Amino acid sequence: MDTSFAGRRRRDLVVAFCLAAIAAVVPLFVKDVYVQNIMVLTLMYGALSQSWNILSGYCGQISLGHALYFGIGAYTTALLFTKFGVLPWFGMLGGGIISAIIAMALGYPCFRLRGHYFVIATIVIAEIGLLLFHNWDWAGAALGIDIPVRGDSWLKFQFTRSKLPYFYFALALACVAWFVTWWLEDSKWGYWWRAVKDNPDAAESLGVVVFNSKMGAAAVSAFLVAVGGSFYAQFVSYIDPESVMGFQFSLLMALPAVLGGIGTLWGPLLGAIILIPLTELTRSFIGGSGRGVDLIVYGGLIIAISLARPQGLVGLFSPKRKEVAR
Amino acid sequence: MTAETIIQSLASGLLMGLLYGLIAVGLALIFGLMDVVNFAHGEFLMIAMYVTFFLFAFFAIDPLLSAPLVAAALFVFGAVVYLLIVRFAVRAKANAGMVQIFSTFGLAIVMRGLAQYFFTPDYRSVTNSWLGGKTVSVAGIFLPVPQLVGALLAIAAFGALYLFINRTDFGRALEATREDAGAVALVGIDKNKVFALGWGLGAALVGLSGAVMAIFFYIYPDVGASFALIAYVTVALGGFGSVFGAFAGGILVGLVEATTALILPPSLKSVGIYAVYLLVVFIRPRGLFGSM
């Protein structure tokens, strides 16, 4: 087995291709709408977490405010479509670009901050965004926006009869986010980011432009998350500030990467595959009582995994791969 | 807007600010001691409020009298949380910062779930307590008595904490451990014991503020979330690790909140606090009184 870095990267690409191909045929056999819904959400959170991982995992700038970009993506698409009749595809691109610009504009002052000061700044900025959208009458304020149904079509990216198109888009998004990470991992940016994460002062002294590499990571990360938000708006067809910009989204983007393995290529997807079905299943099977058992199970799992596997679950697969493969 | 309204709201802002300081100081103490941010801090407050409520509902003990009992209960709780969870989180060899954030965050979710399970999501309140709903008039300004007592309690607690840290053996051990947790072992201080007592003390201070908050605020499983973010901002504003900073940060947050409520619609009053936080750290990245 080729154990060199280049060999590992080739193998990752092949594995990813096989997994994507397998995932693509699964919904042809699993017709249950509830299960399909969970699969769409799993892929979406996998993609979001993968994007979050670029800034927070590889570059080490822990953001708990990515809900802002998710919300901006969702709102840009929904507003352009309902107010001006602009197709969601352009809204998606526009939301991504706006988010990337905002991420850099916010990064300009924020990237001077370190540690907890930075984390709290990201939380606070997303909260300000949430409160502003709550009070912005033109954008529906607290009531939100109902996206009118104009019939099933890829052009308008609306499907009422089947969840399959959403599934394939979410799969594509997850593949793109994974591929971007795979590609950046071995680019000069990837090396800069890891240097910035490990020791920003040493990186600076060796000629890495720390500030610019943080800005680059923020822009890529925000763009992809906004595309996810835009997809989510089409998927649920109704958005309000809490449901697309609430703090829980910032967490749901971070958790899969943390559980799977932060700053790793496979961590976010692995984390999402475990966490999202678990979240949905506990919610519908034991959360229905409204008595919080789902929260106890969910929180307990987070404590257990973060204490038992600080490096993430992905480590379970790689070091002993040979024995397992045989 | 008359001068009277402005003075009136600044006065209540100041009282609320002192309470924010008391809520936040436990967080500052723990961070100063061992560089850990407790992301379940709001849930500690929630538990303190429930303990106050049940002591009142079942044993008719007024919050004013039960405050020391609540503080004692939270002391034990804080120490147990350290021994069961945080002690292992700080030992993590990889991603130490992440592990601390998410293990305490997982604890917050579990605590909320347990509160929902045992206490139901219903809103509770302490009705007809000695201080509840009363106001006093000082020079024509009306002040709510619970907040006033809370503010005085906060000042007393900060004074006591100052003396405690500077004048007692345990306080000195605390200071020494925060300076150099490795070296204190050489002079016979058990680091784990100091950390556990530090967590107990931090939680006891939250207990005190929870007893006061229970007099005038609704009690429900998610109540902590609304105060937790204010507490983090308060601590960061004052500068992480600085106990005095939490006191000053609390007062600033209270005054800014009151001022914002005068200018912007009430639903935007937190925007002022957040904006001031950003402004301060953009100019001084280590908060007002923090050390880098």
Side-chain angles (χ1 to χ4, degrees), chain B residues 171-251:
Chain B
R172 292 199 191 94
L174 212 68
E175 274 295 306
T177 313
R178 75 189 276 179
E179 288 282 322
D180 191 335
V184 291
L186 299 175
V187 292
I189 296 173
D190 180 357
K191 176 177 82 172
N192 262 322
K193 207 162 135 194
V194 174
F195 284 162
L197 291 173
W199 270 77
L201 188 61
L205 289 161
V206 184
L208 217 52
S209 45
V212 177
M213 296 292 297
I215 302 175
F216 65 93
F217 214 84
Y218 284 108
I219 303 157
Y220 51 98
D222 289 349
V223 68
S226 37
F227 291 101
L229 186 55
I230 293 184
Y232 302 132
V233 170
T234 302
V235 172
L237 249 183
F240 271 106
S242 164
V243 167
F244 175 71
F247 185 69
I251 294 173

Side-chain angles (χ1 to χ4, degrees), chain B residues 7 50 69 79 90 131 145 155 240 256 268 288:
Chain B
I7 295 171
Y50 270 109
L69 298 176
V90 291
L131 305 177
V145 175
I155 295 173
F240 271 106
V256 168
L268 285 173
L288 291 172

Side-chain angles (χ1 to χ4, degrees), chain B residues 59-86:
Chain B
F59 305 105
I61 306 176
D62 193 85
L64 209 54
L65 294 180
S66 66
L69 298 176
V70 180
L74 265 285
F75 183 93
V76 175
F77 183 73
V80 168
V81 166
Y82 171 75
L83 292 173
L84 289 184
I85 296 175
V86 181

Side-chain angles (χ1 to χ4, degrees), chain A residues 5-322:
Chain A
F5 182 63
R8 204 207 78 200
R9 282 177 56 77
R10 268 198 303 278
R11 198 161 59 236
D12 281 336
L13 204 57
V14 173
V15 171
F17 187 79
C18 296
L19 285 178
I22 294 168
V25 295
V26 168
L28 301 178
F29 301 101
V30 183
K31 302 254 183 232
D32 186 71
V33 177
Y34 175 73
V35 178
Q36 287 190 348
N37 195 47
I38 293 180
M39 292 194 297
V40 173
L41 289 176
T42 304
L43 287 169
M44 184 188 83
Y45 281 113
L48 291 173
S49 196
Q50 195 94 48
S51 322
W52 177 86
N53 195 34
I54 292 173
L55 178 64
S56 299
Y58 283 93
C59 193
Q61 308 301 305
I62 298 165
S63 160
L64 287 179
H66 261 44
L68 180 70
Y69 308 125
F70 188 77
I72 288 173
Y75 265 101
T76 308
T77 314
L79 283 173
L80 285 177
F81 185 65
T82 52
K83 305 277 181 185
F84 307 109
V86 177
L87 290 176
W89 298 104
F90 296 106
M92 199 171 267
L93 191 66
I97 292 168
I98 292 173
S99 280
I101 292 170
I102 290 180
M104 288 195 284
L106 292 172
Y108 187 77
C110 286
F111 283 138
R112 292 176 57 226
L113 305 177
R114 285 188 179 186
H116 294 292
Y117 293 102
F118 179 81
V119 179
I120 291 174
T122 61
I123 300 177
V124 156
I125 289 170
E127 282 296 307
I128 293 178
L130 176 70
L131 289 171
L132 292 181
F133 270 95
H134 249 291
N135 287 275
W136 188 12
D137 289 328
W138 186 72
L143 287 177
I145 304 170
D146 214 345
I147 300 168
V149 177
R150 299 269 155 75
D152 291 16
S153 78
W154 273 105
L155 192 64
K156 296 197 176 65
F157 198 35
Q158 285 185 336
F159 308 93
T160 47
R161 282 192 291 275
S162 162
K163 288 202 187 283
L164 277 188
Y166 291 121
F167 175 85
Y168 286 113
F169 185 86
L171 179 62
L173 189 62
C175 290
V176 169
W178 184 90
F179 185 77
V180 168
T181 313
W182 177 86
W183 177 58
L184 286 171
E185 213 182 35
D186 194 34
S187 71
K188 66 177 184 189
W189 288 93
Y191 291 102
W192 284 350
W193 290 338
R194 273 165 279 178
V196 169
K197 178 186 183 177
D198 291 340
N199 190 337
D201 297 323
E204 187 89 67
S205 73
L206 290 171
V208 175
V209 187
V210 171
F211 187 76
N212 289 359
S213 59
K214 287 178 183 175
M215 291 287 251
V220 175
S221 184
F223 181 91
L224 289 170
V225 166
V227 172
S230 174
F231 161 77
Y232 186 74
Q234 295 301 119
F235 179 57
V236 295
S237 79
Y238 167 76
I239 59 168
D240 65 38
E242 248 346 293
S243 74
V244 291
M245 221 181 254
F247 181 62
Q248 76 272 15
F249 278 103
S250 298
L251 270 173
L252 278 172
M253 277 176 235
L255 276 175
V258 172
L259 296 184
I262 187 163
T264 63
L265 181 59
W266 291 100
L269 277 179
L270 179 68
I273 288 168
I274 295 165
L275 194 71
I276 303 304
L278 190 88
T279 314
E280 294 298 317
L281 292 173
T282 49
R283 188 184 292 156
S284 37
F285 288 112
I286 45 181
S289 62
R291 301 209 59 184
V293 182
D294 55 328
L295 293 179
I296 301 171
V297 173
Y298 188 56
L301 191 87
I302 295 173
I303 301 177
I305 297 182
S306 57
L307 290 184
R309 301 283 317 171
Q311 66 279 55
L313 293 170
V314 84
L316 292 176
F317 290 83
S318 50
K320 293 186 177 169
R321 204 175 191 160
K322 280 177 191 164

Side-chain angles (χ1 to χ4, degrees), chain B residues 144-159:
Chain B
V145 175
Q147 279 92 325
L148 183 63
V149 170
L152 294 175
L153 200 63
I155 295 173
F158 271 102

